[in-house]
């Protein structure tokens, strides 16, 4: 249940869902390193403002693409200038002889992304890609603010167990959240 890397049973199951992996307002012009389901990825906006998610390491010299430069067609590695499209295709390989087909033989990891409700989502599973669910709390008109962001030094099941623990919220957060209490309500 706790191993979620590619090829593991739980990892393959969880990759069949859309995952919120970024906050739209926070993703500006700089690429951002993220880790999702054990994979090192880079989240960025292309020059047209569309979010994109690709594997973090350049296929050429393994430099981290979060240090790369965003361009019109994708992201360029700062080490030797390889240009990657949002779909993972290698578009340019500077330094290769004219007519080289090297770029056509390399497929770089990339995942589809969509924005909805102020979040950026990605789907990491097999095709066909399902539609991103238009849940009311994400797609309805009006503003909603709720940002919880950070790195949890635990696996997904520990985070879920903590979130549904009925005593945790009352004892740890009861002094700042009026709606929770460490004491049970009495009805007599």
């Amino acid at each position: 249940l706790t191993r979620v890397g590619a090829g593991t049973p739980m990892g393959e199951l969880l990759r069949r869902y859309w995952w919120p992996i970024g906050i739209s307002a926070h993703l500006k012009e700089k690429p951002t390193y993220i880790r999702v389901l054990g994979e090192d990825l880079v989240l960025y906006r292309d020059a047209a403002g569309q979010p994109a998610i690709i594997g973090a390491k350049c296929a050429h010299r393994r430099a981290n693409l979060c240090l790369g430069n965003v361009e019109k067609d994708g992201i360029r590695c700062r080490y030797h200038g390889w240009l990657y499209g949002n779909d993972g295709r290698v578009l340019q390989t500077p330094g290769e002889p004219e007519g080289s087909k090297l770029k056509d033989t390399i497929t770089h990891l990339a995942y589809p992304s969509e924005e909805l409700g102020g979040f950026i989502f990605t789907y990491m599973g097999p095709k066909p890609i399902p539609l991103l669910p238009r849940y009311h709390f994400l797609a309805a008109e009006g503003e909603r603010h709720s940002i919880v962001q950070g790195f949890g030094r635990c696996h997904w099941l520990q985070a879920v167990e903590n979130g549904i623990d009925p005593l945790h919220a009352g004892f740890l957060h009861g002094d700042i959240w009026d709606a929770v209490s460490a004491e049970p309500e009495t009805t007599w």
Side-chain angles (χ1 to χ4, degrees):
L1 289 177
T2 60
R3 294 188 178 141
V4 296
T8 64
M10 187 54 77
E12 293 306 306
L13 173 69
L14 294 176
R15 281 168 173 73
R16 284 164 169 74
Y17 298 92
W18 283 90
W19 287 92
I21 48 91
I23 298 169
S24 295
H26 293 181
L27 185 62
K28 308 246 189 245
E29 64 278 346
K30 289 191 175 192
T32 301
Y33 169 85
I34 61 174
R35 179 169 255 218
V36 181
L37 299 178
E39 294 187 37
D40 296 332
L41 306 167
V42 171
L43 171 63
Y44 66 95
R45 282 194 191 280
D46 65 15
Q50 296 302 308
I53 298 122
I54 65 171
K57 301 286 177 98
C58 175
H60 182 228
R61 295 288 185 167
R62 310 299 290 158
N64 198 321
L65 293 171
C66 75
L67 303 173
N69 298 319
V70 176
E71 297 191 2
K72 176 183 161 226
D73 297 324
I75 190 167
R76 186 176 298 275
C77 179
R78 292 190 60 166
Y79 198 84
H80 281 119
W82 281 29
L83 180 64
Y84 296 89
N86 296 349
D87 60 359
R89 288 182 302 125
V90 179
L91 304 175
Q92 293 178 6
T93 53
E96 282 295 303
E98 189 173 327
S100 170
K101 301 291 183 198
L102 176 65
K103 68 179 183 58
D104 301 326
T105 66
I106 299 169
T107 303
H108 194 73
L109 180 66
Y111 293 114
S113 63
E114 281 190 46
E115 288 186 89
L116 181 64
F119 294 99
I120 301 167
F121 291 84
T122 192
Y123 176 78
M124 302 169 69
K127 292 183 179 178
I129 299 168
L131 295 174
L132 174 60
R134 297 316 198 240
Y135 295 117
H136 184 266
F137 70 92
L138 291 171
E141 293 296 320
E143 288 189 16
R144 292 157 304 281
H145 297 276
S146 177
I147 295 177
V148 177
Q149 182 177 351
F151 291 97
R153 301 279 183 223
C154 62
H155 56 72
W156 74 276
L157 191 57
Q158 289 170 317
V160 169
E161 187 275 335
N162 184 64
I164 62 173
D165 182 344
L167 295 176
H168 161 81
F171 280 98
L172 186 61
H173 306 291
D175 59 336
I176 56 172
W177 293 348
D178 294 335
V180 298
S181 171
E183 299 297 320
E185 290 185 25
T186 58
T187 56
W188 59 78

